[in-house]
Amino acid sequence: MNPTALSGATVPATPARGGRDSSIGGLLLESGKITPENAERVLRTQKELGIRFGEAAIRLGLITEEDIQQVLARQFDYAYLQRGAGSFSDKLIAAYQPFGPQVETLRAIRSQLMLRWFARGRKSLAIVSINPEDGASLFAANLAVVFSQLGEQTLLVDANLRAPQQQAMFGLQGRKGLSDALAGRAGFDAIEKIDSFIDLSVLSAGTLPPNPQEMLSRTSFGQLSEQLAASYDVVLYDVAAAVHGADAIAVAARIGGVVLVARNNQTALEDLAAFTEQLISHGVEVLGTVLNDL
């Protein structure tokens, strides 16, 4: 994934929050990576050799370097998962491969969005592509994870009421979601907190309606989006691809800002330019285009 119009520097992680033992030893115990009995062995070795707790545990063969990286991340509230853990899609690279170059690019995009959009008091942003194959849903999911890793209370809304993907991406069970909220059959209880990430929640698409464009054009969507923006620091909307109809225009016009997602050698530049013009004509600010290679 390479930003075409968005770039920037990474933002350092924030210190650990209070209320729990955030030492390396405490986190290793809490996560079950070492037992209390082994912790005593580690402490003896640490004292004898004058080394750090984690280094002593590695020397004793009780943990790996990857275990240390994970608890260090938790110490600074930078949540991520080890390979094979959790029920998420393995395409969530921000969750499973947080130190790779693709995630560094995601952080750069996050930084630019913080400066150019969210720092201006805006809370909500739509993620849109021309074609379903361009990967907007996957990009939105990973971007939501890196925003939550920054410590921003983040909500990912699956506003793709035609072919939603976020429920499967995050391993969520079938439940009510956005469409049900718009129809008055659900409230904030439809939002699911993702426990693996301290500051991340997901509102699934919910029951697929026969009239997605009309539902997203209702006044109730505008009211709901305002309520969500008042409750979260960052609200990202994953929207159906432009080729599926005017859903993207309906959402973007309410939200006010859009990041376009394109795929190299697949998204036609003339289609991208025409859609950008259409968005601008509806008063939408197009913040940039991301060239997606996820």
Side-chain angles (χ1 to χ4, degrees):
M1 170 177 30
N2 297 304
T4 300
L6 300 172
S7 60
T10 59
V11 178
T14 54
R17 296 168 182 165
R20 61 179 172 82
D21 183 359
S22 60
S23 67
I24 292 292
L27 291 172
L28 286 169
L29 277 169
E30 181 187 329
S31 60
K33 296 185 183 298
I34 61 172
T35 65
E37 295 76 14
N38 283 336
E40 293 182 5
R41 291 176 56 201
V42 176
L43 287 169
R44 287 196 296 269
T45 302
Q46 179 187 17
K47 185 175 181 180
E48 290 170 3
L49 301 180
I51 57 179
R52 295 178 182 273
F53 187 95
E55 185 180 349
I58 290 175
R59 287 198 181 197
L60 290 170
L62 299 173
I63 61 171
T64 65
E65 188 66 41
E66 189 173 6
D67 292 328
I68 288 291
Q69 287 297 325
Q70 190 171 38
V71 296
L72 278 172
R74 290 184 62 194
Q75 199 175 43
F76 287 88
D77 282 339
Y78 185 71
Y80 74 96
L81 300 175
Q82 288 185 309
R83 288 184 294 272
S87 57
F88 305 151
S89 166
D90 58 7
K91 294 181 180 179
L92 280 175
I93 59 170
Y96 291 110
Q97 304 171 48
F99 307 114
Q102 288 181 310
V103 183
E104 285 296 329
T105 301
L106 276 165
R107 294 191 193 102
I109 294 169
R110 177 191 67 189
S111 297
Q112 284 296 304
L113 292 174
M114 289 295 293
L115 291 170
R116 295 169 53 189
W117 186 248
F118 297 105
R120 291 160 47 192
R122 308 304 295 263
K123 294 288 193 74
S124 304
L125 185 66
I127 310 298
V128 184
S129 66
I130 303 297
N131 308 299
E133 301 81 14
D134 294 339
S137 295
L138 181 57
F139 173 76
N142 279 286
L143 187 63
V145 171
V146 297
F147 266 112
S148 72
Q149 289 169 335
L150 183 60
E152 299 291 315
Q153 285 288 334
T154 305
L155 174 65
L156 175 61
V157 179
D158 196 340
N160 186 341
L161 302 185
R162 297 174 186 269
Q165 297 186 40
Q166 301 305 337
Q167 182 172 314
M169 199 83 68
F170 286 91
L172 304 178
Q173 300 301 315
R175 55 179 295 151
K176 293 180 179 179
L178 175 62
S179 63
D180 304 285
L182 295 178
R185 296 196 302 270
F188 273 36
D189 56 325
I191 298 173
E192 186 155 346
K193 185 85 167 58
I194 307 299
D195 292 333
S196 298
F197 297 94
I198 298 168
D199 298 307
L200 179 61
S201 299
V202 174
L203 177 58
S204 299
T207 308
L208 295 188
N211 56 339
Q213 183 182 334
E214 287 77 13
M215 293 203 72
L216 294 170
S217 300
R218 288 179 179 177
T219 303
S220 57
F221 177 75
Q223 294 170 339
L224 178 62
S225 63
E226 289 177 3
Q227 293 171 350
L228 296 176
S231 302
Y232 292 88
D233 299 321
V234 172
V235 185
L236 300 178
Y237 289 82
D238 173 21
V239 189
V243 295
H244 284 319
D247 300 20
I249 297 293
V251 174
R254 291 283 189 184
I255 301 307
V258 162
V259 168
L260 295 176
V261 177
R263 189 172 290 280
N264 194 29
N265 297 321
Q266 183 166 299
T267 308
L269 292 178
E270 56 270 26
D271 292 342
L272 199 60
F275 186 54
T276 299
E277 294 271 340
Q278 192 176 9
L279 287 167
I280 293 172
S281 71
H282 282 81
V284 180
E285 185 171 346
V286 180
L287 294 172
T289 301
V290 171
L291 189 63
N292 184 23
D293 64 359
L294 288 175

